[in-house]
Amino acid sequence: MKAIVARDFAPLDKLEYADWPEPEAKGDAVVIGAEAIGVNYPDGLLVQGLYQMRPETPFVPGMEVAGKVLAVGDKVASVKPGDRVAALMTHGAYAEKVAVPEATVMKLPDGIGNEDACALICGYGTAHHALKQRGELKPGETLCVLGASGATGVAAVQIGKAMGAKVIGVASTEEKRRVAGEAGADIVIGYENLKDELKRLTDGKGVDVAFDPVGGESFDALSRSMGWKGRLLIIGFASGTIPKFSVNLALVKGFSLVGVFWGSFTQREPEVYAENMKELIGWHIAGKVKPVIEGTYPLAQAPEVLKRVLGRGATGKLILKP
Ligand SMILES: NC(=O)c1ccc[n+]([C@@H]2O[C@H](COP(=O)([O-])OP(=O)(O)OC[C@H]3O[C@@H](n4cnc5c(N)ncnc54)[C@H](OP(=O)(O)O)[C@@H]3O)[C@@H](O)[C@H]2O)c1
């Protein structure tokens, strides 16, 4: 079968569309025929050796897959060939077929398509965990989302609205601001004069919860725009700069800096992760959240697609199809 193979940690151009061994249905393994594969910003970091974990090389990147069960191992009881499912992986999803442990497989209800199922896993899963367990967002609170048209950002906008917050989306271009507005942000602004704008929009009180997948200079502005008892959620550093933080700001403004690591959360708290996914799927079926799928591309185009995601050129979710 074909897969996208990283022979070594290297720039995205070095990824190969190549032959890769067929997965086997042994023990608790479920073999899935991929119909949609989610592209995530961290996939691009992983192949360059810039992510928190480094798999043994050569390896296949990719963490989200949805499709039909093709075969199951003799210990598998919850799914059978023909079932439509989605799965979360540490890596390995950029392939025509994957083998995953039964415990990581979710059966998909009829109301949810394969592309949307992929988007709900990492993008929406991260935003949901961040706002619910880490940010403890409450109805009526003000939520500020940076990168509000990106995969995690647009999810945070929709989930923030589903949780009853007033959402201020921040994005860099007209087109991206349009996407954030259509996703439900109450107010959408650019990054210019961010600190003053957030002060004005919150009548001087500052924001209750901030969702920051960008880092860099906009983190500095956010850390000076937090309200009393606010929670500044550290999601990622898409700007490429990990900011430094003056801890006196947390003292003076009485707010908390809260780290969010969704991948670790899924492994350390699998029951809570499963509950979260159930809630997200319920919200999707009820029409409260609807992934923004920018486009679907052939699996072989993964390097170009990843380049666009890491180059600030994408909105919402991008999907690969074998
Ligand atoms: N903590 C976790 O558990 C977790 C989970 C998933 C992802 N992440 C991390 O969160 C970050 C964002 O992920 P994502 O899936 O939302 O990515 P994405 O879809 O590419 O969105 C990132 C957003 O960041 C903004 N950005 C600002 N400067 C950028 C630059 N120099 N290059 C690229 N984007 C830039 C862009 O919006 P504007 O142009 O509007 O600024 C873009 O829409 C990544 O660092 C990723 O590794 C963390």
Side-chain angles (χ1 to χ4, degrees):
M1 69 164 189
K2 292 287 188 199
I4 295 291
V5 180
R7 303 260 172 232
D8 215 333
F9 297 109
L12 300 173
D13 284 333
K14 299 283 180 201
L15 287 172
E16 290 175 25
Y17 181 63
D19 290 322
W20 190 254
E22 291 263 342
E24 290 178 45
K26 281 187 189 157
D28 73 341
V30 175
V31 174
I32 302 171
E35 292 174 15
I37 300 161
V39 175
N40 286 289
Y41 194 106
D43 302 340
L45 298 179
L46 182 76
V47 300
Q48 297 181 77
L50 302 174
Y51 198 55
Q52 287 95 337
M53 67 126 178
R54 287 163 72 101
E56 258 182 47
T57 54
F59 69 95
V60 172
M63 59 171 94
E64 292 159 348
V65 61
K68 283 221 174 74
V69 174
L70 300 178
V72 296
D74 56 0
K75 295 205 175 86
V76 174
S78 62
V79 292
K80 59 180 186 322
D83 285 348
R84 213 164 54 83
V85 296
L88 165 68
M89 311 169 70
T90 54
H91 60 282
Y94 287 17
E96 289 175 332
K97 296 174 197 170
V98 301
V100 292
E102 180 182 14
T104 65
V105 173
M106 284 182 293
K107 258 194 193 176
L108 293 176
D110 287 342
I112 181 166
N114 292 325
E115 285 89 350
D116 280 10
C118 285
L120 285 187
I121 298 177
C122 178
Y124 280 71
T126 299
H128 186 222
H129 168 56
L131 297 179
K132 185 171 179 165
Q133 281 93 23
R134 305 299 286 145
E136 298 180 7
L137 180 66
K138 293 173 198 67
E141 287 193 319
T142 304
L143 165 69
C144 173
V145 179
L146 300 190
S149 75
T152 60
V154 84
V157 168
Q158 291 186 1
I159 292 168
K161 287 311 298 172
M163 291 173 76
K166 173 185 168 185
V167 179
I168 303 171
V170 185
S172 62
T173 65
E174 275 297 321
E175 172 57 14
K176 289 182 175 185
R177 290 193 280 275
R178 184 188 62 74
V179 171
E182 283 178 8
D186 297 285
I187 302 167
V188 190
I189 58 175
Y191 290 91
E192 302 75 27
N193 305 318
L194 187 57
K195 182 182 144 212
D196 294 341
E197 277 296 279
L198 290 177
K199 194 168 175 191
R200 184 180 67 78
L201 292 169
T202 57
D203 297 326
K205 290 193 209 108
V207 300
D208 298 305
V209 176
F211 182 93
D212 183 8
V214 175
E217 282 175 16
S218 20
F219 169 88
D220 295 335
L222 260 193
S223 67
R224 288 170 165 75
S225 310
M226 297 304 298
W228 185 246
K229 292 189 181 172
R231 288 83 76 200
L232 201 175
L233 303 170
I234 310 298
I235 309 298
F237 314 105
S239 65
T241 305
I242 299 177
K244 298 274 185 290
F245 179 59
S246 300
V247 292
N248 60 316
L249 285 174
L251 183 156
V252 172
K253 290 174 175 279
F255 76 89
S256 311
L257 201 64
V258 185
V260 177
F261 192 178
W262 173 80
S264 271
F265 159 71
T266 65
Q267 288 170 2
R268 289 167 185 262
E269 300 179 55
E271 295 85 10
V272 188
Y273 164 57
E275 280 302 312
N276 276 9
M277 287 312 299
K278 224 185 263 173
E279 183 165 58
L280 274 179
I281 287 173
W283 282 348
H284 182 276
I285 289 168
K288 287 187 178 180
V289 299
K290 174 74 187 130
V292 176
I293 309 287
E294 192 203 90
T296 299
Y297 305 87
L299 176 60
Q301 287 180 16
E304 293 78 44
V305 171
L306 275 173
K307 257 191 233 168
R308 209 145 63 72
V309 171
L310 269 66
R312 210 176 183 174
T315 53
K317 188 77 183 173
L318 284 76
I319 298 287
L320 299 170
K321 258 186 200 295

